[in-house]
Amino acid sequence: MLEITDNITLQDWELSESFMRASGPGGQNVNKVATAVELRFEAARCPALTPAVKSRLKRLAGRRWTKEGAILLQCDETRSQQRNRELVRDRLVALIRQALVAPKRRIATKPTRGSVKRRLESKKQRSAIKSNRGKITPE
């Protein structure tokens, strides 16, 4: 089980890990030990998440969201398999916590009369500057 918040926990069946050989530092160890971790989280089938959270999670996950509704996260930053497992789980928790926060609705406001007047005045000044750049006609 993976605890996200006090009332949201992910069950073991929702998470699956696979290990593979990592690239990068490690010397001969890289060719022998599978230290990279790929975590698969079945987000679409998760009963702990509401549909609104799932849709925000899908948007946040981007290309990591599969057609089956799972999220794939990979980590091969360290030489230790255990540390990579911790890092990838932390990333998943952070992603879900970010999806739990509902964005504030933007309330449309009208510009003030003064700001409209200032904008139009600056446009007139700019127009005057540009119109003076025209060809000079000989008299």
Side-chain angles (χ1 to χ4, degrees):
M1 284 187 5
L2 186 63
E3 189 170 320
I4 308 299
T5 61
D6 293 337
N7 51 358
I8 297 177
T9 55
L10 304 180
Q11 302 303 318
D12 290 332
W13 65 267
E14 297 170 290
L15 301 171
S16 62
E17 293 175 334
S18 59
F19 305 99
M20 61 215 127
R21 286 190 221 129
S23 62
Q28 291 178 343
N29 203 40
V30 168
N31 301 325
K32 294 188 283 185
V33 183
T35 56
V37 180
E38 182 179 77
L39 180 73
R40 182 181 180 94
F41 168 55
E42 301 295 334
R45 299 190 303 147
C46 179
L49 303 177
T50 63
V53 172
K54 287 178 187 177
S55 67
R56 284 195 296 270
L57 191 59
K58 182 177 182 179
R59 188 175 41 80
L60 286 170
R63 291 176 53 207
R64 297 175 290 190
W65 186 276
T66 64
K67 290 176 185 172
E68 298 86 36
I71 295 177
L72 289 176
L73 297 172
Q74 291 181 335
C75 182
D76 62 347
E77 290 176 12
T78 67
R79 297 180 186 192
S80 164
Q81 186 186 78
Q82 187 59 38
R83 182 70 184 125
N84 283 336
R85 286 181 73 195
E86 291 169 8
L87 286 172
V88 78
R89 284 173 176 257
D90 291 343
R91 284 185 198 162
L92 178 65
V93 169
L95 192 67
I96 295 172
R97 283 186 181 156
Q98 192 177 354
L100 287 172
V101 178
K104 288 173 105 176
R105 285 186 53 94
R106 184 187 178 282
I107 299 169
T109 57
K110 208 173 166 184
T112 62
R113 190 178 296 160
S115 67
V116 171
K117 191 174 178 181
R118 284 190 298 274
R119 184 179 66 85
L120 292 176
E121 198 58 45
S122 69
K123 284 180 73 160
K124 282 180 191 171
Q125 286 177 356
R126 194 79 191 141
S127 174
I129 290 169
K130 289 188 172 191
S131 65
N132 289 336
R133 290 184 190 156
K135 288 185 179 177
I136 299 171
T137 55
E139 290 182 37

